[in-house]
Amino acid sequence: MLRKILATAVLLAAAGSVSAQEPRTLTIISHNVHKTAATGGDLADAQNIAGEWAERNNVTLNWVTLDIGPLHDRLLREMSLGETSVDLAAVLNTRVVPSVATLLEPLGPHMEANPIEDFEGISEGLREATVINGNVVAVPYRHATNALHYNETLLEERGVAVPTTLDELLAAARAATFTRDDGTRVYGLVTTLDTHVTALQFLSAFGAVYIDADLNVHANSPEMIAGLTELANLYKEGVLPPNVTALGLDELIATMREGRGVFAINPFSRYTALNDPAASLYPGQIDVMPFPTNDPGVASANTEFWSWAIPANSTQKDLAYDLIRELSGKDATVRAALNGNGPVRPAAYEDPRIIEKLPYAAAESIGLRDASVAVPAFADAVEATTVFIEEMQAAVLGLKTPEEAAASLQTRAEELVARSK
Amino acid sequence: MRRLNPAAILMLVPTHLLLLVVIALPSIYVFWLSLNESTYGSDLTFVGLDNYVTVLTSSYFWRAALNTLIVVNAVVYIELLIAIGMAALFLGGVRYPKIMFAIVLMPYAISEVVGVLVWKIMLNSGSGVLARTIESLGFGMFNWSVSPPLALSVVTLISIWHHLPFTFLLIYAGMLAIPKSLYEAARIDGATPWQEFWRITLPLTIPAILISLIFRFVFAFRLFSEVWLLTAGGPARLTEVLAVYLYQSGFKYGEFGTASATGWLMVIGSLGVASIYLWAMHRRMLKGND
Amino acid sequence: MVAINIDRFVKRYGALEVVHDISFDIEEGEFLVLVGPSGCGKSTILRMVAGLEEISGGELRMQGVRVNELSPKERQVAMVFQDYALYPHMSVEQNIGFSLELARVPKAEREAQVKRVADILQIGHLLERRPRELSGGQRQRVAIGRAMVRKPQLFLFDEPLSNLDAKLRAEMRGQIKRLHQTLKTTSMYVTHDQLEAMTLADRIICLFDGHIAQMGTPHDLFDRPANVFVAEFIGSPTMNIVPITASKAEGRTVLTLAGGGEVSLPDGTALPSLTNDGNVLAGIRPEHLSDTPTPGATARIEGVIDMLEPLGSDILVTMQVGGATLTARCTDKGQFQAGQNLTLHFDPARLHLFDSKTQMRLG
């Protein structure tokens, strides 16, 4: 009798363990913007793409969101271990350098077995940048392409027309710089010169390139010197804010929202924040356009982009890849864009949902078309950006002449490139 | 020196083990790292003293070292003077002592990051309340972020503001420990308040002053968040301090070897400074002046 | 000649008054001791005289001149503190010479003065030492030296011996007394120890709760205490005080103790006029009670021995007399045993009578 009861109990227990299978947990480490793009976050009409996938697959998503520096620091540490609990990570293009790529799972075999929908539909430049030593190590997910935001109301107030070329922009920025009666200064051009991206955006409009995709350094070019000279002049004339080399993103947003800046160099997607009716004094009046060059119709656009990658020491690579596949699909790309993501598929900009929701969609699609990566990924890419910031700031503040800065930048960048080869 | 009995040694063991695990072992490991070249995902490659050579021949290291030295000395000594003055003021009696005490201690209760950011907002050229006040007083635009001397002065100011309560507390406690009767004796002997301060208060506060100097030099040497949050070492890396230099090489460039070497050089540097004061204290102890 | 006038001193801390309208004079060269239990205001008065406490009310005159507003230095007073208050970071020489240094006395003269004082106090060999290297007695002497070197108008002592052990205290007491006899500096000395007061004082002021309980020579206070407080405070062991009822029976005065015991007084004993229908407090010092009849000890009291406390040659005998407890100091010849009946003899002239309500002396 007792034996019979025991046998029944064992059977029941075994049956229970099968039917009530524990949901698996997938740990994702990313910046908060990726979580918002994939889940919609707190948005009113959130598109919870990742959530729907998780429910279908009985997976619990564990998001770890960090700022850019700590995010990569943490990820690299995790990947240096024997095994990591991080299954999926968002990585910035400049950080996917060869030494890091060796720590990432090659995605080729996964993609062969289980292809991503219309992979070729993802912007080619971005796709190519994620191939390291012949291996696809990451799938592009989000781009931040720089553009020119401008306050239409202030331009009107100053009687300045919306520029169409670089020269017109420089003249307009100068003309729009003034001091209000209450002593408030309004700056013609606002940007953050504590990072390389926005500065390179400005310089690339002059045709300047720092380091190209083949790791050739072009810092000491007439275009670079011309761009640096113009930047230094704008600073000297007070068109740029006096603390431009220390100006952070929050301050840039505040300056534009409060009408203390007329033009701003910033990613397209900043449109929403700058026009936020709850925070901006000029809601709906800050428009955006591709950054002009002196070549009519051709924009200059520097971009940075994020990709999804899987740590080679992860234990749930297939599951993680399945989520990448889900997030990279055509429809998912459109839905993430509705969440505020910068879609890496140019086709997404033609989707009616996007045209209806994002006023800047058309401009951004032009920007993405002309976009190039600010600094290519190589072993000392981060140091190369630091060197650029240093020399650029020295030129802007007049600590060095643009010629000296460009020459020095050339030498130092060549050393870094040589070292990493 | 008294000899320790086994029971006493046994009771000291946990503390020593803890110190060993959290201080000695990591320090030794960092020293080992400083003799190797490594980055994320790479194995250690022994390079001897190469990293030290790299750091010591880097002009950025020396600029950071010079900046650190200037700021640290300015911070420590100005802070000490203010703390002594304030402690003497409190000792002499202030109105509403409890409220005043709370006000003086408040900066220490504020998170360093929050404090620095608030200062940064107040000092924002053009829109910050302090910057605009300075400007309206006719000093011109207070554009510290592009001027290394001004930026380092702001760093100094904020650092003093934040750590003053610590130094003040140490010194005030030192002054409170002086028996009241000594002041009465001095008054009877005909000392003026000024003489009381110079002949009684100050000489008897010297042990507390030495201790606070040692603490503050060692703490100040690690100066990081003020600089990082205000200028991040800019413009053009002109305001970097040693901890920022270390952070750049270790956490931005992933060069663990040079970062570890920088760390050890910082330890040696701050020990060098602290040892001057430790030696002074030791000498006083031998002379029986405490 | 009067050196110091303390005229209607009042000390208030906020609403709290701790010294109430106290007046007394100190004669030139006099050694005046303020004695009383802790909290009686004696130290406060001393510190008001020193200039360390503000005088809330009244006037302090030195040589006839008001000095309320003068600093301690200007009053030319010197003070010896209970904790010595030596400057720990200075040598003995610097400690003693500090006031001279502040007064900008030239170095050579300063050294000579310090040496003179050090020689008097026999601390010449300690001049290079620091206070922490000295014994308690040596520190005390340095403190006195520091006061002496200023040649003050008035010496103030604030319980200077209370941190010393009994033997050293007796020694230092003698030294202070000798010093005063040599220097003849007007001195004001505060203590809670009645023995110190008795041995040192030319005159004693006994304080109680911010009032003067009695002022006079040590003999005055000992022989004719003005009230129960002084009677109990001065003298050791403490005076026996018992409530009694005095009545006349057959022409003789009979004192009945509260518990029923009786004291026989010889015929013709003159008592002061009694108050409260004869219900008064009677006091007699233990040393004035004797187990053997002596000439003059004409009064007797009987009881049972309760406790014995041998002191060596003397013994304290505690006796129960009808509910009251009496202590006698007798010569110890081994004659006592607890439980024994005992008759004590005393001279009626040694009897002190106090009003039971006002506690003031009668007669």
Side-chain angles (χ1 to χ4, degrees), chain B residues 69-272:
Chain B
L69 209 66
I70 294 172
V71 172
V72 164
N73 275 289
V75 166
V76 170
Y77 286 113
I78 296 174
E79 188 179 306
L80 182 70
L81 287 181
I82 299 175
I84 290 175
M86 250 165 46
L89 209 68
F90 268 80
L91 202 67
V94 288
R95 283 169 84 78
Y96 311 112
K98 281 181 185 163
I99 295 171
M100 292 299 284
F101 208 67
I103 289 173
V104 167
L105 294 193
M106 210 176 287
Y108 215 53
I110 297 173
S111 133
E112 203 168 357
V113 174
V114 172
V116 174
L117 289 179
V118 169
W119 274 98
K120 191 176 181 180
I121 291 167
M122 293 195 301
L123 286 167
N124 186 303
S125 322
S127 67
V129 58
L130 284 181
R132 288 193 78 145
T133 308
I134 292 169
E135 198 177 335
S136 67
L137 291 173
F139 290 101
M141 179 175 264
F142 188 62
N143 196 13
W144 53 271
S145 66
V146 298
S147 154
L150 274 184
L152 289 177
S153 305
V154 170
V155 166
T156 306
L157 170 80
I158 296 175
S159 192
I160 291 173
W161 169 82
H162 192 248
H163 294 102
L164 183 60
F166 175 83
T167 311
F168 165 76
L169 270 188
L170 270 184
I171 295 196
Y172 184 47
M175 287 187 181
L176 279 183
I178 301 172
K180 286 272 168 292
S181 61
L182 290 188
Y183 292 104
E184 296 180 341
R187 277 170 66 195
I188 301 243
D189 274 344
T192 60
W194 192 240
Q195 284 169 327
E196 274 178 36
F197 176 75
W198 279 106
R199 303 298 304 269
I200 308 291
T201 311
L202 206 56
L204 291 177
T205 312
I206 280 183
I209 290 176
L210 282 177
I211 287 173
S212 80
L213 276 175
I214 291 169
F215 268 105
R216 285 298 293 129
F217 261 113
V218 172
F219 287 169
F221 232 84
R222 307 184 311 208
L223 176 78
F224 177 77
S225 43
E226 287 91 341
V227 178
W228 189 250
L229 294 169
L230 282 177
T231 68
R237 297 190 71 175
L238 290 173
T239 60
E240 272 183 20
V241 289
L242 285 172
V244 171
Y245 178 87
L246 185 152
Y247 182 88
Q248 299 266 33
S249 53
F251 298 99
K252 268 182 97 173
Y253 309 156
E255 291 165 1
F256 301 146
T258 50
S260 304
T262 310
W264 263 97
L265 290 171
M266 283 175 70
V267 168
I268 292 167
S270 57
L271 275 185

Side-chain angles (χ1 to χ4, degrees), chain C residues 52-117:
Chain C
L52 296 173
E53 294 277 357
E54 191 201 358
I55 299 168
S56 317
E59 193 170 79
L60 174 66
R61 290 188 296 275
M62 301 179 86
Q63 319 296 349
V65 181
R66 176 185 165 101
V67 296
N68 285 34
E69 288 74 26
L70 297 189
S71 71
K73 181 193 163 200
E74 291 162 330
R75 293 183 193 184
Q76 298 188 33
V77 297
M79 184 156 164
V80 178
F81 292 84
Q82 178 173 2
D83 64 351
Y84 322 128
L86 298 180
Y87 310 120
H89 55 299
M90 298 183 195
S91 67
V92 167
E93 183 172 9
Q94 289 168 316
N95 261 285
I96 297 176
F98 190 55
S99 60
L100 302 178
E101 195 189 328
L102 293 176
R104 296 175 194 279
V105 173
K107 193 161 186 277
E109 193 191 329
R110 201 163 75 213
E111 280 172 0
Q113 300 254 32
V114 170
K115 189 165 181 320
R116 176 184 62 86
V117 167

Side-chain angles (χ1 to χ4, degrees), chain A residues 73 185 242 251 390 393 412, chain B residues 40 60 124 135 141 143 236:
Chain A
D73 185 42
R185 288 191 192 82
E251 198 181 336
E390 180 190 344
Q393 291 187 340
R412 295 174 68 185
Chain B
Y40 295 111
Y60 296 97
N124 186 303
E135 198 177 335
M141 179 175 264
N143 196 13

Side-chain angles (χ1 to χ4, degrees), chain C residues 180-193:
Chain C
H180 180 252
Q181 280 164 359
T182 324
L183 299 174
K184 301 251 187 306
T185 308
T186 314
S187 300
M188 186 168 165
Y189 188 109
V190 160
T191 181
H192 63 271
D193 181 345

Side-chain angles (χ1 to χ4, degrees), chain B residues 203-204 206-207 279-290, chain C residues 87-91 128-134 139:
Chain B
L204 291 177
I206 280 183
W279 178 74
M281 217 158 74
H282 183 68
R283 216 183 41 159
R284 286 182 65 82
M285 253 152 55
L286 286 184
K287 273 178 67 189
N289 262 7
D290 59 324
Chain C
Y87 310 120
H89 55 299
M90 298 183 195
S91 67
E128 296 308 311
R129 302 238 188 123
R130 307 230 169 219
R132 71 197 295 251
E133 298 165 311
L134 303 178
R139 288 182 203 188

